[in-house]
Amino acid sequence: MNVGDLTEHYRKLNDNELLQLTLEFNDLTDGAQFALEAELRARNLPTPERMRKFVSLENETLIGKKAVQDGGPGRFRLWFPWGIGYMNFGKADRRRYLNSKTQEYTTTMFFLLLWFPLIPVKTYRVEDRGWKLVWLERLPLDWRQVRRVWATAGGLVLSFILLVAGMWVVGYIRRM
């Protein structure tokens, strides 16, 4: 079967049949995998990776192991005028879904002091649905993303310092 025929076949299946196919995703041909993922995204159903994670969590719970699930960071607290509190920074490993505004990415929460991201607290995989973030899972701290955030924030602070110093030098030269 070609990809067009498979796409048409998957379009005729109901949601439960499609989700059942995701459990056998690795046994499918490349064309079948492509067509299945396209149909799952069109219906806003979980991707094969998320289904595998869900099934592994369910199996761990059934076996008696305690599945560690973090419900997300809760409400962010930010003391606005002074920039003290917690805030997300970075969008790494971004995956955008076609035909929808939904995207998944990895983000890191930082403790802010004077609007500068000082201390990395947690890293999460999130699903962004426009105005709503769905916290999918907590990950180990992503130090590569932390370094990028610190480099960007440090570059902005350095640029501001150079701008102020440049203005001071120009003013000093004019007074001479």
Side-chain angles (χ1 to χ4, degrees):
M1 294 180 103
N2 64 20
V3 177
D5 295 337
L6 287 168
T7 303
E8 194 60 38
H9 173 68
Y10 291 153
R11 202 169 284 140
K12 293 177 184 176
L13 298 177
N14 65 34
D15 291 353
N16 290 335
E17 292 169 325
L18 281 176
L19 291 174
Q20 186 66 34
L21 275 175
T22 60
L23 299 176
E24 304 163 5
F25 187 77
N26 292 334
D27 298 334
L28 300 174
T29 64
D30 290 337
Q33 289 178 352
F34 179 78
L36 179 60
E37 280 187 325
E39 187 60 27
L40 289 170
R41 285 191 185 103
R43 296 186 193 188
N44 281 332
L45 294 174
T47 60
E49 300 144 26
R50 296 229 350 251
M51 280 300 291
R52 279 194 292 274
K53 289 176 189 173
F54 174 76
V55 169
S56 69
L57 281 176
E58 286 296 316
N59 288 340
E60 285 179 9
T61 304
L62 291 174
I63 292 172
K65 296 179 185 175
K66 186 175 181 181
V68 178
Q69 294 182 349
D70 192 339
R75 298 185 66 179
F76 290 117
R77 303 273 186 235
L78 184 65
W79 201 8
F80 187 74
W82 292 275
I84 299 172
Y86 295 96
M87 194 173 213
N88 286 359
F89 287 93
K91 290 184 180 180
D93 304 324
R94 189 183 307 192
R95 170 183 276 167
R96 296 176 193 239
Y97 296 115
L98 299 175
N99 301 328
S100 75
K101 295 180 182 178
T102 304
Q103 59 180 338
E104 277 186 32
Y105 54 86
T106 303
T107 186
T108 301
M109 183 192 312
F110 283 83
F111 174 73
L112 301 176
L113 183 61
L114 300 175
W115 295 103
F116 188 83
L118 217 67
I119 302 169
V121 179
K122 300 174 185 175
T123 298
Y124 285 97
R125 185 77 183 162
V126 298
E127 184 176 79
D128 187 351
R129 297 181 180 169
W131 287 95
K132 182 180 178 189
L133 285 181
V134 178
W135 305 92
L136 301 176
E137 63 181 316
R138 184 173 175 188
L139 302 171
L141 210 51
D142 185 358
W143 285 103
R144 198 176 74 210
Q145 187 176 46
V146 169
R147 285 190 299 271
R148 276 186 296 211
V149 169
W150 280 342
T152 303
L156 289 172
V157 169
L158 182 62
S159 298
F160 179 75
I161 290 170
L162 290 174
L163 177 70
V164 170
M167 290 170 50
W168 182 79
V169 167
V170 168
Y172 182 75
I173 292 173
R174 284 187 178 173
R175 283 187 291 225
M176 290 176 91

